[in-house]
Amino acid sequence: MDLEARAHEEHHDALRLWLRMLTCTQLIEQRVRSRLREQFETTLPRFDLMAQLERSPEGLKMNELSRRMMVTGGNVTGITDQLEAEDLVERTAVANDRRALCIRLTDAGRKAFADMAAVHEGWIVDALAGLSEREVATLHKLLGKVKQHMNANEVTA
Amino acid sequence: MDLEARAHEEHHDALRLWLRMLTCTQLIEQRVRSRLREQFETTLPRFDLMAQLERSPEGLKMNELSRRMMVTGGNVTGITDQLEAEDLVERTAVANDRRALCIRLTDAGRKAFADMAAVHEGWIVDALAGLSEREVATLHKLLGKVKQHMNANEVTA
DNA sequence: TATTGTTATACTCTATAACTATA
DNA sequence: TATAGTTATAGAGTATAACAATA
């Protein structure tokens, strides 16, 4: 096979992989979204925001939340408004910078999240139950390379 | 380590893998969405619909498109309306079932899609360029297991 | 009665850009 | 001037459910 034909094949493989990644993610994501709605009357971005805060008990600034959730700032404001109205998170002042706000889970929020997270983890374990422990590790490692490469190429428009 | 602790660890691994899958997919998807908009004034669902038709030159019925795109019927009608108005796809009658419609790419649609698809493939190749040929194959295989397991467990609400 | 596709509706999520208040 | 967060807006994307035509 000549080089060009080989390149074409490799390109096709990349595309096929991408379509499969998309399919797998959508299958799991749709299931998670509908169960979050049905069982907890919440949404994935709300769950995601609370999960970020759970991992940072000292709280996170709005722009840090925005970066981690990979959405723009206005959206974080909206979701935070909802969760604050339900007393699940709170905005607190930041020392030495009166522009910034620190968002934290409230006690009620921490408890509500713990309940959801336990069930949520079960959904994910089920979804990935077709893989051996070792295959999970391999996937994690390979996707780590993808992530790293994407982040390195961030600027390349 | 006792069995319970081991189970907890494996659960955590599954969750970590899922979060990484989600991150990778979102990184690539956001880039693809914004480039489709900027360079071709189109959206991912529109591109996806055309891609499905491209793979089925004989055309697809609305409900088959709906199934493959993993969205409900009403949405397919809306996207098809747009693309039909731009003469990129056409609705044709189906023999022996006057309820059904067959959607096909027009010649113009086939050409427009070919142009987009070539550029799109380059984006994906770039995004996955951090992986060797062999790693691409491994990922494809392992995600195939995930997909298969999800489809097998479809009913399990 | 069941199925195909359409219509109507409502809601979530998102980006963009203008705005304010601080720095 | 630059940054942190908010507001306002518009559009994408989706599900749901009622509907018409046909099977």
Side-chain angles (χ1 to χ4, degrees):
Chain A
M1 191 187 330
D2 65 26
L3 277 176
E4 194 184 345
R6 186 181 190 93
H8 278 165
E9 272 202 11
E10 285 183 36
H11 282 197
H12 250 89
D13 290 343
L15 194 55
R16 277 175 51 220
L17 170 55
W18 166 238
L19 294 176
R20 185 161 282 183
M21 281 175 65
L22 210 47
T23 299
C24 285
T25 305
Q26 283 180 355
L27 280 170
I28 299 177
E29 197 175 331
Q30 283 187 359
R31 194 186 275 190
V32 169
R33 278 186 199 276
S34 79
R35 290 180 184 179
L36 280 177
R37 184 164 26 81
E38 290 162 9
Q39 298 183 33
F40 298 104
E41 288 179 8
T42 193
T43 65
L44 198 49
R46 285 169 53 117
F47 181 83
D48 187 20
L49 192 153
M50 294 179 76
Q52 299 294 346
L53 295 183
E54 156 72 26
R55 275 177 248 158
S56 299
E58 71 288 358
L60 289 171
K61 293 204 306 174
M62 295 297 278
N63 61 8
E64 183 58 23
L65 263 175
S66 163
R67 195 187 64 73
R68 297 197 189 191
M69 295 174 68
M70 299 196 277
V71 297
T72 53
N75 303 305
V76 178
T77 296
I79 299 170
T80 302
D81 286 347
Q82 293 175 26
L83 295 174
E84 192 179 32
E86 297 171 31
D87 281 318
L88 298 171
V89 307
E90 60 189 356
R91 287 170 161 99
T92 60
V94 166
N96 305 327
D97 190 344
R98 294 200 300 179
R99 296 170 307 180
L101 289 172
C102 185
I103 317 302
R104 263 204 295 253
L105 284 178
T106 62
D107 288 343
R110 203 171 343 268
K111 169 151 189 355
F113 180 74
D115 291 346
M116 287 192 291
V119 178
H120 172 268
E121 185 163 305
W123 301 337
I124 302 306
V125 168
D126 285 348
L128 299 178
L131 300 172
S132 71
E133 206 177 329
R134 200 197 153 128
E135 288 170 332
V136 168
T138 302
L139 261 179
H140 190 264
K141 190 188 76 185
L142 293 181
L143 291 174
K145 292 183 95 164
V146 174
K147 182 177 164 185
Q148 194 181 354
H149 183 262
M150 284 296 290
N151 285 327
N153 279 32
E154 216 169 334
V155 204
T156 313
Chain B
M1 190 188 330
D2 66 24
L3 277 176
E4 195 183 342
R6 185 182 190 92
H8 278 164
E9 272 200 12
E10 285 183 36
H11 282 197
H12 250 89
D13 290 342
L15 194 54
R16 276 175 51 223
L17 170 55
W18 166 237
L19 294 176
R20 185 161 282 180
M21 281 175 66
L22 209 47
T23 299
C24 285
T25 305
Q26 283 179 353
L27 281 170
I28 299 176
E29 197 175 330
Q30 284 186 357
R31 194 186 274 189
V32 169
R33 277 185 200 277
S34 78
R35 291 180 183 178
L36 280 177
R37 183 163 27 82
E38 290 161 11
Q39 298 183 33
F40 297 106
E41 288 178 9
T42 193
T43 65
L44 199 49
R46 284 169 53 117
F47 181 83
D48 188 19
L49 192 153
M50 292 178 77
Q52 299 294 345
L53 295 182
E54 157 71 28
R55 275 177 248 156
S56 299
E58 71 289 359
L60 290 170
K61 293 204 307 175
M62 294 298 277
N63 61 8
E64 183 59 21
L65 263 175
S66 164
R67 195 186 64 74
R68 297 196 188 191
M69 295 175 68
M70 300 196 274
V71 297
T72 51
N75 303 306
V76 178
T77 297
I79 299 170
T80 301
D81 286 347
Q82 293 175 27
L83 295 173
E84 191 179 32
E86 298 171 31
D87 281 318
L88 298 170
V89 308
E90 60 189 355
R91 287 170 160 98
T92 60
V94 167
N96 304 326
D97 190 344
R98 295 199 301 177
R99 295 170 307 177
L101 288 172
C102 185
I103 318 301
R104 263 203 296 252
L105 284 178
T106 61
D107 289 342
R110 203 173 338 271
K111 169 150 189 357
F113 180 74
D115 292 345
M116 287 192 290
V119 178
H120 173 268
E121 186 162 305
W123 301 336
I124 301 306
V125 168
D126 284 348
L128 299 178
L131 300 172
S132 71
E133 205 177 330
R134 200 194 154 136
E135 288 169 332
V136 168
T138 302
L139 262 179
H140 190 264
K141 190 187 77 185
L142 293 181
L143 291 174
K145 291 183 96 164
V146 174
K147 181 177 166 186
Q148 193 181 354
H149 182 261
M150 284 295 292
N151 284 327
N153 278 33
E154 215 169 337
V155 204
T156 313

